[in-house]
Amino acid sequence: MTETQERERTADAPAGERRSRGISSVEALAAVLVLLVIFRGRLSGLVTGERLQTWTTVFVSVLVQAVPFLVFGVLLSAVIAVFVPRSFWAKALPRHPALAVPAASMAGVVLPGCECGAVPIAGSLIRRGVTPAAALAFLLAAPAINPIVLTATAVAFPGNPEMVVARGLASLAVAVLMGWLWLRLGKSDWIRLPHRPDLDGSKGRAFWAACRHDVVHAGGFLVLGAAAAATINVIVPEAWLQTLASHPVLSVLALAVLAVLLSICSEADAFVAASLSQFSLTSRLVFLVVGPMVDLKLISMQAGVFGRGFALRFAPATFALAVLAAVVAGAVLL
């Protein structure tokens, strides 16, 4: 068969068959992560220069610690998204909007999932008749206070169990308060959901599609976050970090903005925060509370699912409230 005939046969093939012939970004990312873990000893020996060795050590260590939690979270998130009926939430939540907000927030405690999946789920809840305030409270709480995230935080901060409590309480408070704030000030025309018909297909295909989606988004941002954390530890002079970290206000604002820019998955951000040891626990708590609720990928996803006007109002308000709640929790508990 000639090259031209092969190209024509490939073009006429079904989309699923064409995709199966190549290596997707999911497989490529998984292969890179596995190779980094297996050959981390040899790679560190090949790297020359103290700064480059430090960068490699920090980068690989963050990935090695975070990947198991990321994979487990992606699998459970896919199970919930595929096998739990969407209509369940409309029936399970209280009918009174003010009571539905904390109930939806507490649902995040038992429903593992990353922020990438919480945005479309919140949109689906609103389509099924759930009050927007409750759906938005779930959107903020699910990626921040689920068991996987809290367990990862405990592993990343083994000597500071109060960090887990502070993160959970501060994140829950932000979710509930933002839901109630939406009940008070929110307008229905701020949310413009695009038309999206339900996808057909078997549950098995939907499950693996959800896994692939979350791995691509969450895993990719994890790699970028680990690289950014390693770069900060190597490139930024220690004197600068110490000066910034020693100033209570500047350190809080710096890590809050960093959380927005890095856009790290909530199932892995605790390990990046733990690597920023120059900063106080309160500053790192701000990083952990802000990140799962306001970051660049979330803002773009919210604009796509709920509309640009919604994102321009919702994201700044969430950012300010998350910083305030984390600072209060840090002052009381840390």
Side-chain angles (χ1 to χ4, degrees), residues 35-234:
L35 290 175
L36 283 174
V37 173
I38 295 176
F39 297 106
R40 62 184 183 274
R42 295 184 180 181
L43 289 175
S44 61
L46 295 175
V47 174
T48 58
E50 182 178 354
R51 285 178 175 268
L52 198 54
Q53 287 183 352
T54 301
W55 190 96
T56 305
T57 301
V58 174
F59 176 75
V60 175
S61 64
V62 170
L63 289 182
V64 170
Q65 293 180 86
V67 164
F69 292 97
L70 176 63
V71 172
F72 188 52
V74 164
L75 293 175
L76 285 180
S77 177
V79 169
I80 292 167
V82 174
F83 296 102
V84 177
R86 294 176 179 176
S87 58
F88 167 80
W89 306 113
K91 298 177 182 178
L93 294 175
R95 293 186 177 181
H96 196 289
L99 298 178
V101 168
S105 301
M106 290 301 299
V109 177
V110 295
L111 292 177
C114 71
E115 52 268 39
C116 298
V119 174
I121 290 175
S124 298
L125 292 177
I126 295 176
R127 286 189 177 93
R128 295 300 178 91
V130 175
T131 176
L136 296 177
F138 175 82
L139 181 152
L140 296 177
I145 62 174
N146 69 68
I148 294 179
V149 170
L150 298 181
T151 301
T153 305
V155 173
F157 294 89
N160 303 102
E162 65 275 10
M163 196 73 167
V164 180
V165 179
R167 180 178 193 177
L169 292 178
S171 300
L172 181 61
V174 175
V176 174
L177 291 175
M178 282 300 300
W180 285 340
L181 185 64
W182 182 267
L183 281 178
R184 181 71 176 177
L185 302 176
K187 298 181 180 180
S188 58
D189 58 353
W190 288 352
I191 296 180
R192 298 184 178 181
L193 295 173
H195 175 70
R196 181 177 57 83
D198 293 335
L199 297 177
D200 297 326
S202 67
K203 290 186 179 295
R205 290 184 178 180
F207 173 80
W208 289 115
C211 289
R212 291 163 66 91
H213 174 273
D214 286 352
V215 167
V216 168
H217 286 78
F221 283 110
L222 169 61
V223 172
L224 293 178
T231 302
I232 290 173
N233 278 273
V234 173

Side-chain angles (χ1 to χ4, degrees), residues 162-163 165-167 169-170 252 280-286 289 322-334:
E162 65 275 10
M163 196 73 167
V165 179
R167 180 178 193 177
L169 292 178
V252 166
S280 66
L281 288 177
T282 298
S283 299
R284 287 182 279 177
L285 176 62
V286 171
V289 174
V323 172
L324 178 61
V327 169
V328 172
V332 175
L333 298 174
L334 299 181

